[in-house]
Each structure stands twice: as C-alpha cells, then as structure tokens.
Amino acid sequence: MELYGYPLKAKFNQPRPPPPKVLPATSTMTASYKNRIPYHPESFSMPWMPNSYYKAAALNSTLSPLTESFPGLPPTKIVPFISERPNGVFSRHSLDDWHRSNMTNYKESETTRHNAERLRADLTRTIKDVYQQAKRTQGESTKNLGERVNDIEYWKSELCIELDAMIRETNSLTDMQKRLERALADTEGPFQVAHKCLLNREKRMGIDLVNDDVEKQLITEIKTIRSCRERLQQCLDTVNCQLMCNKEARQELEKDLADKQMGHHIDSKCYQLKNTSRGIHYYKGVERVDATVSVPETWARFTDNNIFRSQSARATSAKLRASTESLLMGTADEMWRQFSKVNDAFTSRITEIANAKSKIQTHLAKTRQEIFQIETKIQVIQKTIRDKEVQLKVAQTRLDERTRRPNVELCRDAAQIRLVQEVNEINETLRNLHQCLRASEDMLQMLVRSKGVLEHDLVVKNNSLFIDQERCMGMRKSYPSTVQILGYV
C-alpha cells in the first residue's frame, strides 16, 4: 500500500530489455507476458496514478477512458473527491471489477498474441514469397540480360565478319581503281604517238602523199584509243561512286559495331551485377524514364538491314570489279590488235617504198648509163660530122679548082662526075648525121629529164622511208606493253 499522493513504482517504467534476435516460442512468450502489464499507447498521454486520473475525470468529464473495452465507471459510482479520509485509505473498485478487468486483459492478451502469431506467419510467408519473387524476378532479368548479351555477341560477330569482308572488298576495288587510273594514263602515250604519226606523214612529198592503208589504220587506231579512253573513264566514274557507297556502308557497319560493343559492355556489366556487387545505388524514378528508341524486332532489323546493305554493296562491287577486269582486258586486246595492224601496215608500206626506191635507183643507174652512152654517141656523131665536113670541103675545093680549067679542059669527065657525086653523098650523109645528132640530143634531153624525175622520186621515197621507218616506227617502239595497258605496273 502506497501513501496517498505518492506515485506508484510501475514495473513498466523500468528500461525495456532489448528485443531478442530470434522470436521465442509461443509458450515462452505466454509465460513472459504473465508478469507484464498490457501496453497501451494512449497510456503515455495519461497521468501515472489512477487517483490522479479520476481526480481529473471528476473535474473534466471529456477525458477518454483507459481502454475501449472498459468504458469507465458511471458518474453515479464515481467517489467524490474528499480531502480528508478516515485512516488515509480509500478503495475505488469492487472485487468483481478487479476480476472482470483481469479477464478482459487476459482475453485481449490472448487475442493480441493470436493475431501476432498469425501476423508472424503471414510475415514469414510474405518474406519468403518476396524473397522468392525477388530471386525469380532477378533471375529472369539476369537470364534476359544473358540472352541479350548473346544476341549482341551474335550480331557483333556478324558485323565483324561483314565489316572484314567489306574492308577486303573496298581494298580490292581501290586497287582496281588505281589500275584503271594507270591504264587511263597509259593510253595517253599511244594516242599521242598515233596523232604524231599522222602529223609526220603529212610531211610526205609529191606522189607519196597518198591516203594509203597506213593512214587508214592510224585513223582507226586513234578512234579505237579514244573509244577505249571514254569507256575507261566511265568505268572509273562508276568505280568512284561504288567506292563512296562502300565507304557509307562501311561507316554504318563501324558505327553499328561501336554501338554494339558499347551495348555489350554495358549489358555484360549489368549481367554480372549481384546484390553484393559494388557500385549499386538507388536511382529514384529511373524506371519511369523511357529512353528506348527501338524494340528487339526493329533492333535486329536495323543491324540486319545494315548487313544486307553492305552485302548488296559488296555484290555490286564484286560485279563491278569483274566487269572492270573484263573491260581492261578487252580494251588492252583491242588496242593491241589495232597497234599490230598499224605496225603491219607500216611494215608493208616501208617494204613497198624500199622496193620502189630500189627500182628507182636501178632505173636511175641505167638512165645515167644511157645518158653517158648517148653523150658518147653524140660526140662520135659530131666528130663524124666534122670529118665529113672536111671531106666535103676537099670535094668542093676540088670542084671549085676544076672550074678554073681553061677552055676545053672543062671536061665533064669521070673525075668531075665522081666529085659531084661525092659532094652530094657527103651532103646527104651530113644531113643524116645532123638528124641523128638532133635525135640524140633530144633523147639526151629526155634521159636527163627522166634522170631528174627519178632523182626527185628517189628523194621523195627517201623522205617517205625516213618518216615511216625512222620517225613513226621509232616512236612506236616505245609503245607500252600489254601489262602496262592493263595497269599492273
């Protein structure tokens, strides 16, 4: 019995022991509650002593009851406040109220414990379900990340294979481009050679300035080279455009591959993250941020389209390389065959000019010999004429002297007749000799003119032979070989 006015020393005012790490058994918990006063949260806002409560309740009827199951005493049973009590003791409740309060507390305790046990079981099951669900969810996420990593590795390998193939194809096409450029540059020399050959042959003289087979073949060669150059230039432009397409496809592959490598690194890092990993943090609201720009179908289709575009570009590039190779072989063969035809025409023409020159030289030699003989004959005729003129002088002198015979001595004798005949014969002979001399001189003039023609023709032939043999064929000896035309060197 405590003195009135002093607070009771309640057991629950002592410091509460720390909670155990493992929940005790139900029987143990029931035994532990026997010496405990039920916990009521609202008790912290109430006075410590019941008599203080009821003193306050007598003054203020709005105070809440101690518990919901015990509404408190009716106003008729509340003992009025008396300042002076006999023996200093005053009882506020009956024994029935005490037993009823205990039973009420026991029932509430049992109900609370039952609810607590059920709650613990629910919490244990919930915790287990949450753990299993979290483990299953995390496992599914890890599995999906692993599948994603495998998908990225697959497309990475496909991109790497296609990128290597595209790089090889681009390098091959670049080599073909260089061969085309060299072949196109190498055709400039033969074109200039053929053009110079035509210009040099314009320097032929006289009758040799003819439209022969050589000139026709040279014109055909110029047309052939010009046609080949145009086709090579068109092919080079196509190759340049294809190189740009290959470069664009390669850049798309490299960009996609770089993105795949970055994505593979990030997803591999996410795949390897665990609950015990370092560097995991809270990122509040990150699940509400949708930064995705594709779905798996469009993601795979994007890479597949890049690979398909690259494969199409590679196929086109391979066909272009094959057609370019065929074009190089065709143009080289066409130019070489035309070059051979021109050379054959030059050879035939040079042989023909050489034969003509030889014949001219033969005729010129014979003409010179004939001129020499004619001149010799003319000299003989002139000497004969001079001799006959002396004989004529002798005969005419004789006749003239015999005209001075006197009288009957002027006889027409045999000597006179013979002298007259001799003079006539000599005159006739002189006339014949003069005719022969004029004929010989005319023939000599003709021979001299023929000699001049032959000499001029010989000069023309020498000039033509020099142009065709020395200038034209001398330049054509430096014509590039088939290997050079194909652009291999």
Side-chain angles (χ1 to χ4, degrees):
M1 182 69 66
E2 298 290 341
L3 295 177
Y4 179 78
Y6 288 89
L8 294 175
K9 295 181 179 179
K11 291 183 179 181
F12 54 81
N13 287 335
Q14 302 298 326
R16 300 181 65 179
K21 296 183 179 180
V22 181
L23 295 174
T26 306
S27 60
T28 306
M29 294 179 67
T30 304
S32 64
Y33 291 147
K34 290 180 179 180
N35 297 325
R36 299 289 182 179
I37 296 175
Y39 167 71
H40 297 282
E42 61 270 12
S43 63
F44 290 102
S45 63
M46 296 168 50
W48 291 104
M49 294 180 61
N51 55 0
S52 299
Y53 174 80
Y54 287 106
K55 280 195 287 185
L59 297 175
N60 186 4
S61 59
T62 61
L63 291 174
S64 61
L66 292 176
T67 61
E68 295 178 359
S69 62
F70 184 71
L73 295 176
T76 57
K77 293 184 180 181
I78 296 177
V79 181
F81 177 75
I82 302 175
S83 61
E84 294 180 357
R85 299 183 182 86
N87 300 325
V89 177
F90 179 77
S91 61
R92 297 178 179 83
H93 302 284
S94 64
L95 187 60
D96 293 336
D97 293 334
W98 182 79
H99 284 292
R100 188 166 49 251
S101 177
N102 289 337
M103 291 301 295
T104 300
N105 291 335
Y106 296 157
K107 288 181 179 180
E108 287 183 356
S109 175
E110 185 177 359
T111 302
T112 304
R113 283 187 286 105
H114 178 71
N115 292 334
E117 289 178 358
R118 187 171 58 186
L119 179 61
R120 283 191 298 104
D122 293 340
L123 289 175
T124 302
R125 186 172 57 255
T126 302
I127 291 172
K128 184 177 180 181
D129 292 342
V130 168
Y131 177 77
Q132 290 179 353
Q133 183 180 3
K135 185 177 180 180
R136 183 175 59 256
T137 304
Q138 192 179 64
E140 290 178 356
S141 298
T142 304
K143 179 182 177 182
N144 291 335
L145 283 172
E147 292 177 354
R148 180 66 174 180
V149 169
N150 291 334
D151 292 341
I152 294 176
E153 287 179 351
Y154 168 76
W155 285 113
K156 271 181 59 181
S157 63
E158 293 294 325
L159 285 172
C160 289
I161 293 173
E162 183 60 31
L163 183 59
D164 292 339
M166 175 54 74
I167 291 174
R168 290 194 299 270
E169 179 61 33
T170 303
N171 293 335
S172 299
L173 191 60
T174 303
D175 295 338
M176 185 61 68
Q177 179 195 28
K178 294 179 180 178
R179 286 180 56 192
L180 272 174
E181 291 175 351
R182 287 195 297 267
L184 189 61
D186 289 339
T187 57
E188 183 65 25
F191 182 80
Q192 294 296 331
V193 167
H195 189 66
K196 288 181 179 180
C197 286
L198 280 178
L199 293 179
N200 288 330
R201 285 178 62 82
E202 291 296 323
K203 298 178 182 180
R204 292 174 297 171
M205 298 182 299
I207 194 62
D208 278 11
L209 194 61
V210 294
N211 187 15
D212 53 3
D213 186 59
V214 175
E215 187 171 352
K216 295 178 181 179
Q217 294 297 333
L218 282 173
I219 294 173
T220 304
E221 185 180 19
I222 290 176
K223 292 180 179 179
T224 301
I225 295 175
R226 186 180 289 114
S227 174
C228 291
R229 285 171 59 85
E230 291 176 355
R231 284 180 287 169
L232 289 175
Q233 185 63 48
Q234 292 176 357
C235 186
L236 182 60
D237 295 339
T238 306
V239 168
N240 291 333
C241 293
Q242 186 61 42
L243 280 175
M244 294 298 296
C245 294
N246 290 0
K247 185 178 180 181
E248 293 176 357
R250 177 181 174 181
Q251 288 177 350
E252 291 294 331
L253 290 177
E254 290 176 346
K255 181 180 179 181
D256 196 2
L257 181 59
D259 294 342
K260 291 289 185 295
Q261 290 175 348
M262 180 62 69
H264 183 269
H265 173 73
I266 293 174
D267 286 345
S268 296
K269 181 180 178 181
C270 294
Y271 177 75
Q272 295 171 0
L273 283 178
K274 299 179 181 178
N275 295 335
T276 58
S277 300
R278 295 182 179 180
I280 56 176
H281 303 283
Y282 286 110
Y283 296 94
K284 187 176 180 180
V286 69
E287 70 279 358
R288 295 192 297 272
V289 179
D290 188 6
T292 59
V293 295
S294 63
V295 295
E297 290 77 9
T298 58
W299 173 80
R301 191 182 305 118
F302 177 78
T303 304
D304 186 62
N305 289 338
N306 288 336
I307 294 175
F308 178 75
R309 190 181 304 111
S310 175
Q311 289 175 348
S312 300
R314 282 196 302 110
T316 305
S317 178
K319 291 181 180 179
L320 182 59
R321 284 194 300 110
S323 62
T324 304
E325 185 70 28
S326 176
L327 177 63
L328 286 174
M329 296 292 293
T331 53
D333 181 67
E334 185 177 355
M335 292 171 64
W336 183 258
R337 282 189 288 105
Q338 185 60 36
F339 169 78
S340 299
K341 289 182 180 180
V342 173
N343 286 352
D344 293 342
F346 263 113
T347 302
S348 300
R349 185 60 180 171
I350 289 172
T351 302
E352 187 177 3
I353 294 174
N355 293 333
K357 175 186 174 182
S358 177
K359 291 181 179 179
I360 290 173
Q361 289 176 341
T362 302
H363 285 282
L364 183 60
K366 291 180 178 180
T367 301
R368 288 175 177 174
Q369 181 66 28
E370 189 65 28
I371 289 173
F372 175 75
Q373 292 178 356
I374 288 295
E375 288 177 346
T376 303
K377 291 297 181 182
I378 289 175
Q379 291 176 0
V380 172
I381 291 173
Q382 289 176 350
K383 182 177 182 302
T384 304
I385 290 174
R386 288 194 298 270
D387 293 340
K388 289 297 181 180
E389 288 177 349
V390 173
Q391 292 178 2
L392 180 61
K393 288 178 181 180
V394 171
Q396 288 179 350
T397 300
R398 284 176 180 177
L399 286 175
D400 182 71
E401 288 297 329
R402 292 193 70 182
T403 59
R404 293 183 182 90
R405 288 179 302 172
N407 301 318
V408 77
E409 291 299 326
L410 291 171
C411 180
R412 189 176 178 86
D413 53 6
Q416 183 67 26
I417 295 172
R418 185 58 191 162
L419 285 173
V420 172
Q421 292 177 352
E422 182 181 4
V423 170
N424 292 331
E425 289 177 358
I426 292 173
N427 287 328
E428 183 66 22
T429 300
L430 286 174
R431 283 194 301 271
N432 293 333
L433 288 175
H434 283 291
Q435 290 179 356
C436 290
L437 180 60
R438 285 192 297 271
S440 298
E441 289 177 350
D442 293 340
M443 183 59 64
L444 180 61
Q445 291 297 326
M446 295 176 62
L447 288 174
V448 170
R449 188 180 301 109
S450 177
K451 173 189 171 185
V453 171
L454 290 175
E455 288 177 348
H456 179 267
D457 200 9
L458 183 62
V459 171
V460 170
K461 295 297 184 291
N462 286 330
N463 179 67
S464 300
L465 194 62
F466 174 76
I467 291 174
D468 289 347
Q469 190 171 11
E470 300 297 331
R471 289 189 175 181
C472 295
M473 291 304 293
M475 287 189 300
R476 299 182 69 84
K477 289 180 181 179
S478 60
Y479 187 86
S481 63
T482 307
V483 176
Q484 290 176 325
I485 296 174
L486 292 176
Y488 287 109
V489 294

